[in-house]
C-alpha cells in the first residue's frame, strides 16, 4: 500500500510538469535549504529524514513526507497564502514529498500561527493540531523532539 501511494504521488508530480528537466530543477534547489535546529529535529522524529515516508495509515488521510504533512495542512497553508496575498503558486498535495516544499509549508504555518511561540508550543501543535500544546499526549512527542535538539548541539 505504501509503495502504491508513493507511486501515485510521484506520477502526479511528473504529469503536472512539462518535462523531466522541470522535475530536476527543484531537486537541485533542495540543497540550498537552510534547516533550523527545530526543523531538523522535527524531520528526524516525524520521518527519520525520509521524504517518502507515509504515516498515520490507520486514518483515512495519511501523513506524507519528511514532516508528515496531511492534506488539511496543505489546505491551511494555501488559506494562509490567500490571506497574506502572497503572489506564489498554491501548494499541491504532491508537494508533501518534496523536502523543500514541506519546509516551506512548515515555516509558513509557524510564522503565521506561532510568531513568538516557544519551540515546545510549535512542536506540540505541529503534532497535535491547534491546541496540541494543551494535550498531554503531545508531551511524549516533545520529549523526542527535545532529545533530537539536544543531540544537535
Amino acid at each position: 500500500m505504501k509503495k502504491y501511494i508513493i507511486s501515485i504521488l510521484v506520477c502526479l508530480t511528473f504529469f503536472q510538469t512539462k518535462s523531466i528537466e522541470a522535475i530536476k530543477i527543484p531537486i537541485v534547489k533542495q540543497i540550498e535549504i537552510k534547516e533550523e535546529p527545530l526543523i531538523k529535529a522535527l524531520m528526524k522524529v516525524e520521518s527519520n529524514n525520509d521524504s517518502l515516508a507515509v504515516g498515520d495509515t490507520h486514518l483515512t488521510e495519511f501523513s506524507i513526507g519528511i514532516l508528515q504533512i496531511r492534506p488539511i495542512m496543505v489546505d491551511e497553508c494555501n488559506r494562509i497564502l490567500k490571506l497574506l496575498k502572497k503572489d506564489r503558486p498554491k501548494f499541491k498535495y504532491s508537494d508533501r514529498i518534496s523536502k523543500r516544499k514541506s519546509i516551506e509549508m512548515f515555516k509558513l504555518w509557524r510564522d503565521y500561527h506561532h510568531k513568538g511561540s516557544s519551540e515546545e508550543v510549535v512542536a506540540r501543535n505541529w503534532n497535535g493540531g491547534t491546541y496540541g500544546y494543551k494535550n498531554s499526549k503531545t508531551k511524549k512527542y516533545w520529549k523526542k523532539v527535545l532529545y533530537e535538539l539536544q543531540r544537535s548541539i
Side-chain angles (χ1 to χ4, degrees):
M1 181 71 162
K2 183 177 178 180
K3 289 180 183 179
Y4 177 72
I5 291 168
I6 298 302
S7 298
I8 289 171
L9 289 171
V10 171
C11 288
L12 286 173
T13 303
F14 176 75
F15 289 118
Q16 289 174 349
T17 60
K18 294 180 181 170
S19 69
I20 282 290
E21 288 75 28
I23 293 174
K24 291 181 184 175
I25 293 169
I27 293 171
V28 173
K29 288 183 181 177
Q30 285 182 4
I31 298 167
E32 300 167 11
I33 299 170
K34 290 184 181 178
E35 296 166 6
E36 302 162 20
L38 177 61
I39 294 173
K40 284 183 179 181
L42 290 172
M43 291 187 305
K44 179 70 176 170
V45 171
E46 289 285 355
S47 67
N48 199 26
N49 296 311
D50 182 1
S51 291
L52 300 178
V54 177
D56 296 327
T57 54
H58 61 287
L59 301 174
T60 52
E61 293 187 329
F62 304 156
S63 54
I64 294 175
I66 200 154
L67 285 168
Q68 291 295 281
I69 298 172
R70 290 197 188 119
I72 195 165
M73 181 56 75
V74 178
D75 296 340
E76 174 61 5
C77 288
N78 287 329
R79 186 186 75 83
I80 294 168
L81 287 174
K82 187 176 178 180
L83 288 171
L84 298 177
K85 297 181 170 119
K86 294 280 187 183
D87 186 30
R88 58 149 293 162
K90 285 179 158 187
F91 290 106
K92 298 173 269 187
Y93 295 142
S94 59
D95 289 339
R96 298 177 292 167
I97 62 170
S98 164
K99 179 179 179 180
R100 179 178 59 85
K101 296 230 177 152
S102 292
I103 292 172
E104 284 177 22
M105 284 188 263
F106 172 79
K107 287 180 175 181
L108 178 68
W109 168 84
R110 181 201 57 199
D111 294 348
Y112 185 79
H113 289 292
H114 293 286
K115 209 169 208 68
S117 293
S118 68
E119 288 182 329
E120 180 179 2
V121 169
V122 172
R124 290 178 68 186
N125 280 15
W126 184 253
N127 177 249
T130 306
Y131 301 105
Y133 71 99
K134 293 181 178 180
N135 186 336
S136 61
K137 293 178 182 177
T138 62
K139 286 181 181 179
K140 184 177 176 183
Y141 176 83
W142 169 241
K143 286 181 181 180
K144 291 178 187 178
V145 172
L146 188 58
Y147 173 77
E148 292 301 328
L149 281 168
Q150 290 170 342
R151 280 187 52 194
S152 66
I153 295 175

